[in-house]
Amino acid sequence: MKRSTLVNWLLVAAVLVIAAVPVLFVGGEFSGSDGQAEAAITASHPDYEPWFSPLYEPPSREVESGLFALQAALGAGVVGYYFGVARTRRRSSGDREDGGSADQARDDVA
């Protein structure tokens, strides 16, 4: 097994452990930061009235979660695309440099 393959599998295992430990061993109720902030504001200032309302209210919590997941997937796609393009450019520039040295070698022989 190549070293890079082993490193990749170790990274995948580390991510799984990091994701699994809180789910398995941390008790309590999981909630989003928006809900926690709303509860904290309501507890500290019971008379507070929001001065702004969202432009769009999802019809249910499931739709809201789906939109959040879609947003995360699009963000991950953009970041992955960026890194893919950057890697391809780096490889292409490396090929050109190699091609340049091959041209130089041909010129030296001729």
Side-chain angles (χ1 to χ4, degrees):
M1 181 182 295
K2 291 172 45 177
R3 184 171 184 261
S4 62
T5 304
L6 178 65
V7 169
N8 287 339
W9 281 113
L10 288 174
L11 287 172
V12 169
V15 167
L16 290 176
V17 167
I18 289 170
V21 166
V23 173
L24 296 176
F25 300 111
V26 176
E29 185 176 319
F30 292 98
S31 62
S33 60
D34 292 343
Q36 291 177 355
E38 184 179 344
I41 291 170
T42 303
S44 64
H45 302 291
D47 299 332
Y48 177 77
E49 290 194 23
W51 54 273
F52 182 80
S53 63
L55 297 176
Y56 172 72
E57 287 271 346
S60 68
R61 304 280 293 172
E62 290 81 14
V63 173
E64 183 178 350
S65 295
L67 290 173
F68 185 76
L70 178 66
Q71 177 186 3
L74 288 173
V78 168
V79 170
Y81 178 77
Y82 169 77
F83 282 116
V85 168
R87 183 176 180 174
T88 302
R89 283 186 182 167
R90 190 176 60 226
R91 282 185 174 179
S92 296
S93 67
D95 290 344
R96 274 188 257 141
E97 290 175 4
D98 291 343
S101 62
D103 291 338
Q104 182 72 25
R106 262 186 263 133
D107 291 339
D108 291 340
V109 171

